Amino acid sequence: MLTRKKVQTSILLVLGIVLVINVIASRFFFRLDYTADQRYTLSKATKDILSQLSEPVTISAYFSEDLPPNIEQVRQDFRDMLLEYSSYSDGLIVYEFINPSESQESEMKAQQSGIQPIMINVRERDQMKQQRAYLGAIVQMSDTKEVIPFIQPGAAMEYSLSTNIKKLAVKDKPTIALLQGHGEASLSSISQLYNQLSILYSIEQVTFSDTAGVPSQYKTLVVIAPKDTVPPLHFKYLDEFLNRGGRLLVAINTVGGDLSTGMGNKTFTGFETWLKQRGIEVEENFIIDASCTNVMVRQQQGNFMMNTPVQFPYLPVITNFTEHPITDGLESVVMIFASPIRISSTDTSVVMIPLVVTSEKSGVQNAPIQFDVMKQWTLTDFPLSSLPVALLIEGKVPGTSGYKMVVFSDGDFAVNGEGQNAQQLSEDNVSLMSNAIDWLSDDTGLIELRTKGVSARPIDTSLEDSTKTLLKYLNFLLPIFLIIIYGVFRFQLKRKKRNELMSTDFIVKK
């Protein structure tokens, strides 16, 4: 028999269990993350950054409310992430969510902080209209702050948030040297790359002299697209730099193409000879690939001149990457007149790993060459496969931790250009170069976060049209077919039970 005391005891017991569960839940997180890039799991790099915080960081998230479900999900994902940041930082991450749309004062404060509204498409009553929305955040430590003006749906939120926190927490940024003096790409011509790297590094342009090479304060030297012949003395400086355990990135062109003249020729800077002495041969010919991007060709159609996209195998789209922190998360990179790299080293103490290779349908053409943009390419033009266009090198040096190098056989894939000739590059192009410099320069592990969000998952260009059509209809019809099968199975099950009940004789006792 239930007594009043027993009821009170049961209620108190239930409340106590709920309280204990809430206390445990506030201190510990348990989440099963089945996403391909572990998007909802904090990385070790982020946890290390949070554990090393010495003072509070305030995050003001400016998000509009009453947004479409796909945009609202970004707000919820960001809130969940901040909750975990706060937990792993022992409360040093403090956050708040502000709706700028609720008052003119809040909206002005958001805009003055550097967060501008964006226009999103909203469907309402079968009509499409545009709505102003805010999706940004301010990260502040003491009197300094960083702005995340727009949190892109599907993008790597963790990378953006962690790098901004690290940028506020770090006192002295590591410095990277960008070599100049031989026609290399300048800081102004690599604007996207500079914007990514400047978050964690200071980048300084360095020129060799007749008496001095790489200054001792630089750990990493970057050489991008030299055009002039390099004096032998400067290669001696590079040898000395590596012999003291330096980190070197070299992105060079051994061939170059000019679409305005339709000609492709060899180029010579001396880096080819210097690399060959180290067992790295960047060949002097053009890679062609069936997986490639397009160029626009003006064609006469009736009385009009039209720009028509034409596949151009000399601009390969690379999708094959070796599993490594430099390439993690990358989907596709467009190379510009790349050349194959061949390993000829016999030194077993030096580790060489191809990082990026062409598709299974590729080939080479010797320079010089006249480009034929209207050529009808066939599979016989692509007899080769998996030609390396990027190489990682690690060597041992007594008394040091060893030297590291990354070599690209295309110097232009991460170069925007100057002035009116500047062009916007794909995020993966820039991230490949940034990741390589990160791997050479930084030991925090943030490299793995930059490409954590998926950027593109193109259909394999080698698939036949019939296979693509089959996959399209299979993707559309399979769920419907499965539902129908389940419905028929359930109907048969219920009919069987009904027949069993109808065939059962019931005896009524009076």
Side-chain angles (χ1 to χ4, degrees), residues 22-165:
N22 274 276
V23 171
I24 295 174
S26 66
R27 292 181 174 273
F28 300 98
F29 289 92
F30 179 74
R31 174 183 287 175
L32 297 176
D33 187 356
Y34 294 105
T35 56
D37 53 5
Q38 294 293 289
R39 187 176 303 178
Y40 302 106
T41 302
L42 293 189
S43 67
K44 180 179 182 300
T46 293
K47 293 175 183 177
D48 289 342
I49 291 171
L50 297 177
S51 66
Q52 293 169 10
L53 289 177
S54 58
E55 55 183 296
V57 176
T58 302
I59 300 171
S60 301
Y62 290 88
F63 276 79
S64 300
E65 296 182 357
D66 300 324
L67 297 173
N70 61 319
I71 307 296
E72 180 64 30
Q73 186 61 47
V74 178
R75 184 177 187 272
Q76 186 58 49
D77 289 345
F78 196 62
R79 183 185 290 275
D80 291 344
M81 182 173 290
L82 290 177
L83 183 62
E84 294 200 43
Y85 271 62
S86 179
S87 174
Y88 281 108
S89 67
D90 291 329
L92 288 178
I93 297 292
V94 181
Y95 63 90
E96 60 176 342
F97 274 77
I98 302 170
N99 178 15
S101 304
E102 66 180 1
S103 68
Q104 188 175 0
E105 182 182 354
S106 298
E107 189 166 7
M108 287 184 63
K109 184 178 180 181
Q111 294 182 13
Q112 290 171 357
S113 299
I115 299 175
Q116 300 299 322
I118 61 169
M119 303 303 295
I120 59 175
N121 294 324
V122 179
R123 182 175 291 277
E124 187 175 291
R125 296 179 182 178
D126 296 328
Q127 290 185 343
M128 189 69 72
K129 69 174 187 178
Q130 288 195 320
Q131 175 182 332
R132 283 161 56 95
Y134 290 85
L135 293 89
I138 306 294
V139 184
Q140 185 166 355
M141 175 186 285
S142 299
D143 297 328
T144 57
K145 67 178 182 180
E146 293 295 330
V147 181
I148 307 175
F150 176 48
I151 298 173
Q152 178 79 30
M157 288 187 284
E158 185 182 351
Y159 173 75
S160 180
L161 193 53
S162 294
T163 50
N164 278 287
I165 293 173

